[in-house]
Amino acid sequence: FKTHLLAQSIITSVTNSSAIPGEDIGWTGEVKRDSDKDSPKWNFVVNITDVDFIESYHLKLLAGRNFVESDYPSGQFGSKIEPVILNLEGLKTLGYSKADEAVDTFIFWGDNRCRIVGVFDNFHLQSPKDAIGPLLFSAGGGSNLSIKLGKGVDPKNLSASILSVQEAWKKFFPGNPFDYFFLDNYYEAQYSKDKNVVNLFHVYCGFAILISCLGLF
């Protein structure tokens, strides 16, 4: 399905992950350095990503490398030393001073020994209103498919592009419902409560001005 989509000129990248930017992620794991068995454990947000996630979302690698397909778990997770990629905040949390220092060192994610193969710069995976916390990427697949449309797509006729993706979906996954949303709208929905508060504030300000003018009159 992914290969089929990428063959279309209107699509520039396709990636899947367990979480997408803007989503309230509930999956966390305890992480600690391998150098000391008594080192403290820290709570990291976890996202399972494929090999194209970092490039598709234009994340900046500071050190090390991206995932490759051979990094995917071979059978049960933890049956080998699993590769992981951490954000810069995650390194600071674990006590590393530089990104290069962390590459090819080992950590424990729960009971599973992992190797840090890369470090990416901090970004807001969840709401930009929240502080950036430690984040761990593990190689694999997820239930969220992100499709990036190319510059050749007519923004005034997005329905034609969506229809093309929908037809491919029906071909590969017949009988399964096709559901989608645009990421900018998904982010904007986070601020609906803020907008309601602002609108309510404007209404009360209007009433206050009206009452003041009546008093002056």
Side-chain angles (χ1 to χ4, degrees):
F1 177 59
K2 182 177 179 178
T3 303
H4 179 84
L5 291 179
L6 289 172
Q8 301 186 37
S9 59
I10 61 171
I11 295 173
T12 58
S13 67
V14 180
T15 181
N16 67 316
S17 56
S18 60
I20 57 170
E23 185 178 5
D24 186 15
I25 305 171
W27 187 4
T28 61
E30 290 188 334
V31 178
K32 75 181 191 71
R33 292 183 69 161
D34 182 35
S35 55
D36 183 1
K37 66 177 182 180
D38 297 321
S39 60
K41 298 178 180 179
W42 304 94
N43 228 26
F44 277 59
V45 171
V46 176
N47 193 15
I48 308 300
T49 67
D50 69 1
V51 297
D52 298 309
F53 186 88
I54 288 178
E55 183 177 354
S56 295
Y57 278 101
H58 297 286
L59 304 185
K60 183 180 179 182
L61 272 175
L62 301 176
R65 62 171 178 83
N66 194 1
F67 290 131
V68 293
E69 290 190 6
S70 59
D71 289 331
Y72 291 173
S74 53
Q76 185 177 359
F77 184 87
S79 59
K80 62 180 177 65
I81 297 177
E82 303 292 349
V84 294
I85 302 178
L86 306 183
N87 70 342
L88 192 59
E89 185 63 28
L91 294 192
K92 293 179 180 178
T93 301
L94 293 174
Y96 292 100
S97 57
K98 297 180 180 179
D100 292 335
E101 175 191 346
V103 175
D104 286 331
T105 63
F106 297 94
I107 60 173
F108 273 98
W109 169 15
D111 295 326
N112 300 302
R113 195 167 187 242
C114 305
R115 174 187 280 109
I116 301 174
V117 297
V119 180
F120 57 88
D121 203 0
N122 292 331
F123 76 103
H124 288 280
L125 179 62
Q126 296 171 287
S127 170
K129 295 184 291 184
D130 297 335
I132 295 176
L135 176 61
L136 179 149
F137 282 1
S138 179
S143 58
N144 295 287
L145 189 70
S146 299
I147 300 173
K148 185 178 181 180
L149 300 178
K151 295 180 180 179
V153 174
D154 183 2
K156 296 180 180 179
N157 190 23
L158 285 174
S159 57
S161 302
I162 299 302
L163 181 61
S164 175
V165 176
Q166 184 176 8
E167 289 175 349
W169 177 268
K170 289 180 178 179
K171 176 183 176 181
F172 283 87
F173 308 106
N176 288 277
F178 177 74
D179 186 25
Y180 72 94
F181 59 86
F182 289 99
L183 194 61
D184 55 347
N185 295 335
Y186 191 71
Y187 260 104
E188 188 177 356
Q190 297 184 60
Y191 298 93
S192 58
K193 292 182 180 179
D194 297 339
K195 290 180 179 179
N196 290 336
V197 170
V198 170
N199 291 335
L200 190 61
F201 177 76
H202 288 162
V203 170
Y204 281 123
C205 283
F207 277 126
I209 294 171
L210 177 62
I211 293 170
S212 299
C213 290
L214 287 174
L216 289 172
F217 178 77

